[in-house]
Amino acid sequence: MLILSQGPYDQFLLFGDSITQQSCDQASGFAFSPALQNAFIRRLDVINRGFSGYNTTQALAALPAFMPKPEQASLRFMAVFFGANDACLPGTTGQDVPLNEFKQNLRDTIQHKTVTAQKPRIILITTPPINEYKLEEHYLAKGVSDRSRTAEHTRKYADACKDIGKELAVAVLDIWSIMMAKAGWKEGEPLVGSKKAERSKVLDELLVDGLHFLPAAYKVLYESMMELICRTWPDQYPENLPSVFPVWTKAPS
């Protein structure tokens, strides 16, 4: 029997909260994780490590339990996507993490010994925007009042992600700015998504409950991710990567 010389597939690890966890769900249409998996099919394994409800403190504690050792698997990419829960207002859900602690948690995640041992290409995704109008409707439909998140407070966490990306010299996918630009927002104006601004049809079409992503938002995330990879690591773009196993006409039998 001929033993193939290729090693195992390298991994593309998606580490985040519920927005990452739910990115596998195709029930409503386009989904980010399957799209990324399809783009890298036969080249990389896309692994979803999304933890619904987690903030960065909880995520950092969980990290060592699932991060593979170099002898177990090779991590080619790691996307880090948190902040939606950290940015809750103090005294509301209990998920909030102070801004400085949030930034330190991001540093500690990116510089964790289990991550640095792998030397992956890091992609830090900013905290996305929220839609206060839709959040209010979502919770009122449940018969409760929720004021746990504001557009202004959430922006601070998106900016913090950019700060850490610059500080640690890692790639940043600024999904906050991308979505805000799609909504037509310009610096100096009231934040789109805030009750201080008119309701945004664009954010209504991107966020299902004012926080979580609809298929249209996952498509924006996917297209932005692929553009970032093509721009930052062109040699790692799927079309430029060889398949791990040969085409069937050259495969051993």
Side-chain angles (χ1 to χ4, degrees), residues 10-250:
D10 287 358
Q11 294 183 355
F12 194 135
L13 182 68
L14 307 176
F15 185 33
D17 50 38
S18 57
I19 298 174
T20 297
Q21 179 176 321
Q22 294 174 16
S23 73
C24 280
D25 188 357
Q26 301 176 77
S28 300
F30 187 92
F32 171 69
S33 290
L36 197 64
Q37 184 180 33
N38 182 63
F40 284 99
I41 196 73
R42 295 186 63 178
R43 293 169 173 86
L44 298 175
D45 278 343
V46 177
I47 309 296
N48 188 314
R49 290 291 179 263
F51 296 87
S52 182
Y54 276 41
N55 58 30
T56 50
T57 301
Q58 296 167 315
L60 184 58
L63 178 64
F66 67 79
M67 181 62 68
K69 296 179 176 65
E71 59 268 25
Q72 295 173 320
S74 178
L75 207 59
R76 184 91 56 94
F77 284 99
M78 181 177 181
V80 180
F81 190 14
F82 286 98
N85 299 313
D86 300 71
C88 287
L89 297 173
T92 56
T93 67
Q95 296 163 293
D96 59 289
V97 173
L99 193 61
N100 285 340
E101 186 177 336
F102 171 70
K103 294 174 78 170
Q104 188 58 49
N105 285 343
L106 291 179
R107 288 189 194 95
D108 290 345
T109 296
I110 293 168
Q111 297 176 331
H112 196 279
K113 62 182 181 180
T114 62
V115 175
T116 58
Q118 288 277 7
K119 299 182 176 63
R121 296 159 180 83
I122 299 287
I123 301 172
L124 181 57
I125 307 174
T126 66
T127 307
I130 65 162
N131 183 348
E132 292 180 20
Y133 289 94
K134 221 166 186 181
L135 272 171
E136 183 177 64
E137 290 176 355
H138 173 73
Y139 283 100
L140 286 176
K142 293 184 173 184
V144 297
S145 176
D146 178 83
R147 302 192 185 282
S148 62
R149 296 173 172 87
T150 68
E152 287 87 355
H153 193 61
T154 298
R155 184 188 186 182
K156 295 176 183 178
Y157 286 74
D159 288 342
C161 291
K162 289 185 279 188
D163 290 343
I164 295 300
K166 184 176 181 180
E167 175 188 321
L168 300 183
V170 300
V172 175
L173 198 169
D174 188 2
I175 196 65
W176 187 92
S177 295
I178 292 168
M179 288 186 173
M180 293 294 280
K182 285 188 175 295
W185 177 77
K186 294 180 176 59
E187 189 68 57
E189 298 176 348
L191 286 182
V192 172
S194 167
K195 286 289 193 70
K196 296 176 182 177
E198 291 185 7
R199 184 162 183 163
S200 168
K201 181 181 177 181
V202 173
L203 286 190
D204 278 351
E205 294 171 348
L206 292 175
L207 305 175
V208 62
D209 53 7
L211 176 68
H212 296 97
F213 284 16
L214 283 163
Y218 280 124
K219 189 170 185 180
V220 171
L221 178 62
Y222 169 75
E223 291 174 348
S224 301
M225 176 72 78
M226 297 306 289
E227 288 172 5
L228 183 148
I229 292 171
C230 185
R231 181 176 66 252
T232 310
W233 303 287
D235 62 315
Q236 296 300 310
Y237 198 70
E239 293 178 359
N240 298 325
L241 289 176
S243 294
V244 173
F245 290 90
V247 297
W248 74 271
T249 54
K250 296 181 179 180

